[in-house]
Amino acid sequence: MSKAKSKHLFTSESVTEGHPDKICDQISDGILDAIYEKDPNGRVACETMVTTGLVFVTGEITTSTYVEIPKIIRRTIKDIGYSDPAYGFDYMTCGVITSIQEQSSNIAQGVDTGGAGDQGMMFGYATDETPEYMPMPIVLAHKLTRRLAEIRKNNLVDYLRPDGKSQVTIGYDGGMPKTIETIVLSAHHDPEAKMDRIKSDLKKLVIDHVMPKKMMRKSTKIYINPTGKFAVGGPQADSGVTGRKIIVDTYGGVGSHGGGCFSGKDPTKVDRSASYMARYVAKNIVAAKLAKKCEIQVAYAIGVAEPVSVMVNSYGTGRFSDEKLARLVADVFDLRPKAIIEQLKLRRPIYKRTASYGHFGRMEEGFTWEQLDRAAELEKKARKR
């Protein structure tokens, strides 16, 4: 977003961990974590689909260990909150089908030597408009869904079920977020719950609890379960597939996306590891005050270690030209897949927590790509150029 675009609206969405697509992401990453607990060199590319009463897991896994995939699936579904057959989907009665094979030897021969696990382009983004270095719309959308899950799990209300969605529209002026224009909150609930109570509770316990009051206006539109009842939800209402919420996972639609999802992929897959690294680079550039906004693109050829291209876009906010920033990135960061894995400590069972409420903007244990430990080095080297 350029400063030249003085006034505009931008909208982002989030979904709860009980959304069908997010169930799939958590199952796929739960399997990855279980393998990494015993075999940090395992190769995992794991896809999940859910529908009414059924979970189907497929993909390529090469490992020296054994994990009980059906047990991981049922435990994940239980932890999310699908614990009662009345919800239309539950961990006890759902069917489980698996179809797993080993990674292709043709792919493995390139990865074993430190090359990228596939071709493709990956993007990272950062902005100084929030303390999280994330766009404001996605930050607030995630806060709504996390709070919705929190009041359900803590029994602050007794009628919520795991599925849910949020959407936040922000008014920008001069490139910075100024107002909350629209909030949409949809919550899966017991069929007997009264809509008046749902709207009152969610306004007080969710929206008022997390939305910054200084950005709210009398004109702010609030829609809670705008279609009316949301009594049928989760996989009973919609099928889910791993990797179908890539914009929720990243920057809420701000910036670019290479198209590859993260969940279910071990870090030899650059869809995941290089996207994490690109975020790490972009965030440190913004933290070093070399730009107010920054997007990084990194591209790879399968089996080749060095990226085929690196691009920096500061949207006209950089202290230096984008070409100079790109050269600075090449000087400071090693973007080879093996080096990325080592720098960010990615061979650990850290992935299931990333599979809901976004992979970025979270200063939590294991989210190494959110560290700001290279900002001082970037700033120092930039001054010397």
Side-chain angles (χ1 to χ4, degrees):
M1 296 180 197
S2 169
K3 279 189 173 180
K5 198 173 183 181
S6 58
K7 288 189 176 183
H8 66 279
L9 304 180
F10 197 90
T11 302
S12 295
E13 71 161 351
S14 178
V15 298
T16 66
E17 64 222 58
H19 185 280
D21 295 326
K22 277 291 147 206
I23 296 171
C24 295
D25 288 344
Q26 290 167 91
I27 289 171
S28 294
D29 273 340
I31 293 168
L32 172 59
D33 277 357
I35 289 170
Y36 260 31
E37 283 175 3
K38 300 175 182 178
D39 177 15
N41 293 304
R43 301 277 170 80
V44 179
C46 182
E47 307 277 349
T48 303
M49 184 188 77
V50 297
T51 186
T52 305
L54 180 64
V55 181
F56 181 68
V57 175
T58 187
E60 297 77 46
I61 296 177
T62 304
T63 179
S64 61
T65 190
Y66 172 79
V67 297
E68 187 67 39
I69 289 178
K71 186 179 290 185
I72 295 165
I73 292 168
R74 294 187 191 279
R75 183 172 64 240
T76 300
I77 294 168
K78 181 182 180 181
D79 290 345
I80 291 168
Y82 287 102
S83 56
D84 188 331
Y87 296 177
F89 183 81
D90 73 283
Y91 78 99
M92 295 175 288
T93 65
C94 68
V96 173
I97 301 173
T98 63
S99 179
I100 305 292
Q101 59 186 353
E102 289 190 339
Q103 183 183 68
S104 161
S105 59
N106 296 157
I107 295 173
Q109 67 186 357
V111 178
D112 290 344
T113 58
D118 202 352
Q119 71 173 45
M121 62 283 188
M122 297 83 209
F123 291 88
Y125 179 84
T127 172
D128 67 356
E129 69 186 62
T130 64
E132 296 88 353
Y133 292 87
M134 291 285 286
M136 179 69 81
I138 191 66
V139 168
L140 295 182
H142 284 322
K143 286 185 177 182
L144 287 170
T145 50
R146 293 192 85 157
R147 177 61 179 173
L148 189 62
E150 181 183 328
I151 69 167
R152 171 178 62 87
K153 292 178 177 181
N154 292 338
N155 295 313
L156 297 184
V157 296
D158 61 2
Y159 51 79
L160 286 179
R161 292 178 175 179
D163 199 357
K165 302 179 79 171
S166 72
Q167 188 170 283
V168 178
T169 301
I170 297 293
Y172 281 79
D173 191 350
M176 294 302 289
K178 299 295 184 181
T179 59
I180 298 172
E181 296 294 319
T182 306
I183 298 167
V184 183
L185 187 63
S186 297
H188 184 197
H189 60 82
D190 184 286
E192 301 303 317
K194 302 297 182 185
M195 194 53 57
D196 287 346
R197 183 187 171 194
I198 292 172
K199 290 185 176 183
S200 175
D201 286 348
L202 298 191
K203 172 68 165 58
K204 178 182 177 181
L205 297 174
V206 179
I207 293 172
D208 292 348
H209 187 82
V210 301
M211 290 292 103
K213 292 180 174 56
K214 65 180 181 179
M215 294 183 69
M216 297 288 285
R217 296 291 183 268
K218 288 184 179 179
S219 58
T220 299
K221 299 180 182 69
I222 298 175
Y223 300 104
I224 298 174
N225 283 17
T227 63
K229 282 192 172 184
F230 186 1
V232 180
Q236 184 184 22
D238 292 295
S239 61
V241 180
T242 297
R244 208 157 56 179
K245 285 290 176 284
I246 58 176
I247 299 303
V248 173
D249 286 342
T250 52
Y251 308 102
V254 177
S256 306
H257 198 295
C261 77
F262 305 151
S263 290
K265 296 177 181 177
D266 76 77
T268 66
K269 282 72 173 173
V270 284
D271 276 339
R272 180 164 226 158
S273 54
S275 295
Y276 288 177
M277 190 66 180
R279 161 66 175 175
Y280 178 57
V281 173
K283 187 176 181 182
N284 275 272
I285 285 174
V286 175
K289 301 188 184 307
L290 301 181
K292 294 178 70 62
K293 292 174 171 57
C294 182
E295 181 176 86
I296 306 291
Q297 187 205 56
V298 188
Y300 294 88
I302 187 168
V304 179
E306 292 288 346
V308 299
S309 69
V310 179
M311 181 274 294
V312 176
N313 180 6
S314 65
Y315 299 87
T317 69
R319 278 171 48 193
F320 307 97
S321 69
D322 290 345
E323 292 79 9
K324 182 173 179 178
L325 289 174
R327 291 195 297 272
L328 187 63
V329 168
D331 283 351
V332 174
F333 298 95
D334 190 338
L335 299 176
R336 294 174 298 170
K338 188 176 179 181
I340 291 172
I341 291 168
E342 291 173 355
Q343 289 174 78
L344 299 183
K345 301 179 177 66
L346 297 179
R347 290 196 184 278
R348 297 182 293 156
I350 58 174
Y351 296 105
K352 187 179 175 184
R353 285 188 298 115
T354 69
S356 49
Y357 310 115
H359 292 246
F360 306 122
R362 297 166 61 178
M363 291 302 296
E364 303 172 25
E365 197 282 324
F367 287 69
T368 51
W369 48 93
E370 293 298 315
Q371 295 175 354
L372 297 175
D373 54 347
R374 308 300 288 276
E377 181 183 359
L378 282 165
E379 201 279 332
K380 183 178 180 181
K381 288 197 172 186
R383 279 191 283 108
K384 289 183 176 180
R385 283 181 171 269

